[in-house]
Amino acid sequence: MNEDVIVTEGVEKTYEDSGVPVPAVRGIDYRLARGEFTAIIGPSGSGKTTFLNLIAGLDTPTSGKVWLSGRCISDMSGRDLSDFRRDNIGFIFQAYNLLPVLTVEENVEYIMLLQGVPKPERHERVMDILEKVGLAGYRDRRPLRLSGGQQQRVAVARAMVSNPSLVIADEPTANLDSQTSGELLDMMRRLNEETGMTFLFSTHDEIVMERARKVVVLRDGRIDGNADPEDFQ
Amino acid sequence: MFLRMLKFSWRSIWRNARRTVITGLAVGFGLASLLFTEALMQGMTVHMIGATTNPWMGDVQIHRRGFLDTRQLGLTVERPDAVLELLSQDTTIAAYTPRVLSPASLSSARELKPVTLTGVDMSTDPDVTLLESAVETGSYFTGDSMEMVLGYRLASDLKVELGDVLVVTAARTDSGLASSMFLLSGICNFGNEQLDRYSAFVNIGSARDLLQLGDAFHEIAIVLPDAHMAGDTSLALWDRYTDRENIAEGWTELAPQISSMLDLVNVSMVIMSAILFGLVIFGIVNSLFMSVYERMFELGIMKAVGTRPGTIGYMVIMEAFWLGVISTATGLAIGLLIIWITSGTGISFGEIEFSGITLSRPIFPELSPGRAWAYPVFTLLLTTLAGIFPGIHAARQNPAESMRRSL
Ligand SMILES: Nc1ncnc2c1ncn2[C@@H]1O[C@H](COP(=O)(O)OP(=O)(O)OP(=O)(O)O)[C@@H](O)[C@H]1O
Ligand SMILES: [Mg+2]
């Protein structure tokens, strides 16, 4: 099955900063195949976050279109887009991913709660994924009482628990030390291989790049070719 | 999901416990002060009505139509026997007493003063008025036809003492003049200018003899089981004693200045509530906006992972609801405690004179649920509604924007 999870066509995003147009993404045609484990790299300000936000439906492109699992999300709005993200995309952000007033278990459960998944199934899936990320013993903890690496593992669990077609991670290791970063990426890669779930993440971090299966380079809002992960090893 | 959100929002407001406590106390004190003021006003109302009706007026009076405006001697109550008969069988009233009233001049050996000669029925008057207990020197009526009771101010104006001779001169219905001699038998103090300076009380029989009135009288003062009933226009009483000749009126009509004062009190309560509720809304809106801004990143995450904008809005409104619950509970606790403490001892304002009535006794705050329920209910309702603005604001934020700006 070699269908593309993401297809973008001529996607552009121009912000406005006190009247001055700031082109952040300048026309990207991109395809990401199902099951991939791909890193987007590029210097600071090259448009990585903007591009991921456009793909994830967190932001709307100035022009161009984005298809996710065959559906065009560029003209979806408000509630539909919100529900689409809930059911199709898992998110891992750079830090403070978790809701501090919820326990680990409740954080992981949250999306299924929004989806209306019945309680026994929720419980089973939460326990299963927490097992996989190695945090089964921490389900009643509040996030603030976990280490940074543990918090990111919970975020990974939350992103994956409802089987989305795509997991998007914007610099998931930016706040972690290199050893923890390596372990987190190893775990994500392992889960990618076990489940076949598609991962797309951005990074500055060589430890992360070398674990990617493919690397896309962004420069000034454009794709500036592909790099070989081997290069970083 | 709803219960989950309630639980979630309850936890959220305790993240900044200090702000929640301060908001709760501020709004709570607002509510408490409203409740206390309401109780004070209710206590004062009871006091004012009592001070108006208890000493002399009664809750209801029956007159011949036109008597109050003209004070004509001839305008006595029509069919007096029938009216008294009806009253004696009326179970909706507590007590009644007939009176004779006439303008007269009263002279002592040294002074002459205009007065209202007031004929009192000593067998029924003590159940209706405070005249008997207002007598400070000498004694109340015993039935002697020469007895006269004067207010202490009038007694001092006339420079008379107990036992001194006084002469009343009044016009009769036939336009002749009549006068009669009395002995000062009691001096009273009502704390009311009209009664203490311009009234001369005698036995009703003596007044009738002097004025040649037979069995007639000008006024019947009636006491109801509850003074508030006098404001109830649906009572059968009004029709029963009102006809072409006679008219029954409650204290609200007899003392319109008091009832308009009480209206004024109500209006000021409404204004004060409006101001305080405005501040309450402002406080809650402010507190919630602060908490929304602090959590921008988090709200961005919640939206990113698929929480609908509406759900975010509801969540903020639920937080407002919880703030309302805390504030209302605090306000009720503080307010009722203060009212409970002060209602035992009363609050003394010294001597206040108002509309010729001296309020000297302490005022006892009291809270009847009849109207007071509105304050906590409105507090809860308005605090919850105050969540709408910050709720809409939180719902509208673009997730990518809110996360970018807060990093
Ligand atoms: N909301 C915005 N308004 C104005 N300019 C913006 C906005 N968001 C991003 N930009 C600009 O767009 C460009 C791309 O930003 P973006 O955050 O996508 O880069 P990035 O590759 O993620 O950088 P970093 O590695 O630092 O995270 C930058 O020049 C940035 O200043
Ligand atoms: Mg970025």
Side-chain angles (χ1 to χ4, degrees):
Chain A
M1 201 165 66
N2 207 10
E3 144 209 12
D4 291 326
V5 177
I6 300 168
V7 177
T8 75
E9 265 181 29
V11 166
E12 290 184 21
K13 180 73 188 184
T14 304
Y15 293 109
E16 246 186 53
D17 194 3
S18 34
V20 183
V22 182
V25 168
R26 311 173 184 229
I28 296 184
D29 300 316
Y30 180 66
R31 285 171 180 266
L32 180 67
R34 187 169 297 283
E36 278 296 356
F37 194 75
T38 299
I40 296 182
I41 65 169
S44 185
S46 57
K48 302 182 295 294
T49 299
T50 306
F51 185 52
L52 285 181
N53 283 346
L54 293 173
I55 288 175
L58 290 177
D59 218 339
T60 44
T62 315
S63 66
K65 283 196 161 31
V66 177
W67 284 267
L68 234 152
S69 300
R71 278 198 64 186
C72 180
I73 62 168
S74 309
D75 21 63
M76 281 205 232
S77 67
R79 187 169 157 154
D80 291 339
L81 192 55
S82 179
D83 289 359
F84 184 84
R85 287 198 302 268
R86 180 192 69 196
D87 298 335
N88 295 281
I89 308 171
F91 285 92
I92 304 162
F93 298 97
Q94 134 179 359
Y96 311 112
N97 268 287
L98 307 175
L99 304 179
V101 293
L102 300 184
T103 63
V104 165
E105 180 177 5
E106 288 167 332
N107 264 289
V108 176
E109 191 185 22
Y110 182 77
I111 292 162
M112 290 189 289
L113 210 61
L114 295 177
Q115 289 173 324
V117 175
K119 189 172 178 152
E121 189 186 336
R122 280 199 319 253
H123 185 74
E124 195 183 314
R125 275 158 68 177
V126 169
M127 293 326 286
D128 186 50
I129 194 81
L130 282 179
E131 198 77 52
K132 282 186 178 149
V133 300
L135 288 172
Y138 294 82
R139 41 185 279 238
D140 292 327
R141 287 252 185 130
R142 292 283 177 97
L144 290 178
R145 294 189 50 231
L146 296 176
S147 71
Q150 288 171 328
Q151 288 184 27
Q152 289 305 77
R153 272 147 74 190
V154 178
V156 171
R158 181 188 63 190
M160 297 183 66
V161 72
S162 54
N163 289 317
S165 34
L166 172 67
V167 174
I168 284 188
D170 190 9
E171 305 202 34
T173 60
N175 285 25
L176 303 179
D177 62 58
S178 52
Q179 195 197 332
T180 318
S181 301
E183 286 168 7
L184 186 76
L185 255 287
D186 287 341
M187 187 192 83
M188 283 165 62
R189 176 94 187 232
R190 194 190 76 233
L191 289 168
N192 161 258
E193 277 157 11
E194 281 175 22
T195 62
M197 216 176 276
T198 315
F199 282 74
L200 179 64
F201 46 90
S202 72
T203 190
H204 280 300
D205 195 345
E206 291 189 2
I207 295 171
V208 177
M209 298 173 204
E210 68 186 28
R211 284 165 170 83
R213 227 178 310 154
K214 279 188 185 153
V215 173
V216 176
V217 184
L218 272 194
R219 206 174 299 278
D220 290 332
R222 293 194 180 92
I223 292 185
D224 192 25
N226 297 319
D228 189 344
E230 312 277 315
D231 297 349
F232 307 109
Q233 284 170 3
Chain B
M1 187 64 197
F2 182 77
L3 287 179
R4 282 282 188 144
M5 273 174 65
L6 266 185
K7 189 166 129 192
F8 184 26
S9 47
W10 171 255
R11 286 191 209 161
S12 292
I13 63 165
W14 290 110
R15 279 166 69 179
N16 194 328
R18 190 196 333 190
R19 183 169 59 220
T20 296
V21 167
I22 289 175
T23 309
L25 280 178
V27 176
F29 271 115
L31 173 58
S33 64
L34 270 183
L35 286 173
F36 178 68
T37 312
E38 171 70 23
L40 199 63
M41 291 302 170
Q42 283 188 15
M44 200 184 84
T45 302
V46 168
H47 192 109
M48 289 286 293
I49 296 174
T52 306
T53 59
N54 290 345
W56 185 254
M57 185 187 286
D59 300 320
V60 177
Q61 291 184 350
I62 301 173
H63 301 101
R64 179 74 169 273
R65 285 184 189 274
F67 173 77
L68 280 183
D69 299 330
T70 63
R71 298 269 164 178
Q72 276 180 37
L73 192 61
L75 291 179
T76 53
V77 171
E78 268 301 301
R79 296 178 309 285
D81 296 338
V83 172
L84 289 178
E85 177 68 20
L86 259 179
L87 281 166
S88 69
Q89 285 161 13
D90 195 331
T91 51
T92 64
I93 63 174
Y96 63 93
T97 187
R99 293 166 185 159
V100 164
L101 300 163
S102 169
S105 66
L106 181 61
S107 55
S108 65
R110 300 164 63 181
E111 300 283 342
L112 178 80
K113 291 285 169 193
V115 296
T116 299
L117 180 68
T118 306
V120 173
D121 177 1
M122 59 172 267
S123 62
T124 51
D125 171 73
D127 297 331
V128 176
T129 78
L130 297 179
L131 177 58
E132 185 171 18
S133 54
V135 174
E136 288 180 335
T137 326
S139 60
Y140 186 67
F141 299 109
T142 59
D144 188 311
S145 64
M146 300 245 303
E147 289 169 329
M148 175 175 275
V149 175
L150 297 181
Y152 74 102
R153 292 184 195 231
L154 182 55
S156 92
D157 288 350
L158 289 166
K159 304 188 174 70
V160 287
E161 289 175 3
L162 282 186
D164 285 356
V165 174
L166 290 146
V167 176
V168 173
T169 308
R172 280 183 176 157
T173 43
D174 59 11
S175 327
L177 273 184
S179 49
S180 189
M181 192 178 86
F182 291 90
L183 297 174
L184 184 59
S185 58
I187 296 176
C188 63
N189 179 0
F190 278 102
N192 174 315
E193 181 78 359
Q194 177 65 31
L195 295 169
D196 291 338
R197 178 156 275 151
Y198 299 105
S199 297
F201 303 99
V202 298
N203 278 300
I204 194 167
S206 313
R208 280 171 173 158
D209 287 348
L210 174 70
L211 302 166
Q212 292 186 325
L213 283 175
D215 282 339
F217 48 83
H218 297 104
E219 174 173 293
I220 296 180
I222 299 171
V223 176
L224 300 176
D226 178 351
H228 283 287
M229 288 167 65
D232 182 355
T233 50
S234 67
L235 293 183
L237 174 99
W238 309 115
D239 284 344
R240 195 174 303 145
Y241 301 106
T242 300
D243 53 32
R244 281 222 341 267
E245 291 84 21
N246 297 336
I247 181 163
E249 292 167 298
W251 64 264
T252 49
E253 291 157 84
L254 297 166
Q257 75 281 12
I258 298 299
S259 77
S260 50
M261 216 254 338
L262 297 178
D263 288 345
L264 193 71
V265 164
N266 288 341
V267 171
S268 26
M269 277 312 288
V270 170
I271 293 173
M272 181 172 158
S273 315
I275 293 173
L276 267 166
F277 282 134
L279 288 175
V280 161
I281 292 180
F282 182 79
I284 298 278
V285 167
N286 180 52
S287 161
L288 284 171
F289 262 116
M290 273 159 64
S291 100
V292 164
Y293 278 117
E294 280 170 11
R295 283 181 295 162
M296 264 318 173
F297 184 82
E298 215 176 295
L299 294 174
I301 297 238
M302 289 176 72
K303 282 191 185 166
V305 303
T307 315
R308 290 175 181 168
T311 309
I312 301 270
Y314 278 125
M315 202 186 65
V316 174
I317 292 172
M318 280 185 187
E319 290 173 21
F321 165 76
W322 282 125
L323 282 177
V325 169
I326 293 169
S327 309
T328 307
T330 311
L332 276 176
I334 299 174
L336 295 181
L337 183 71
I338 296 176
I339 292 168
W340 180 71
I341 292 171
T342 52
S343 65
T345 55
I347 298 178
S348 183
F349 289 93
E351 296 230 334
I352 315 172
E353 185 157 326
F354 194 91
S355 294
I357 298 165
T358 310
L359 300 178
S360 52
R361 287 175 300 134
I363 290 178
F364 294 88
E366 59 176 73
L367 201 61
S368 75
R371 210 166 76 171
W373 64 267
Y375 297 99
V377 168
F378 269 95
T379 305
L380 185 55
L381 201 70
L382 288 176
T383 48
T384 307
L385 291 181
I388 290 178
F389 313 108
I392 289 177
H393 184 79
R396 278 198 183 147
Q397 295 299 309
N398 168 304
E401 267 304 278
S402 35
M403 281 191 288
R404 195 181 71 95
R405 260 187 296 168
S406 16
L407 265 185

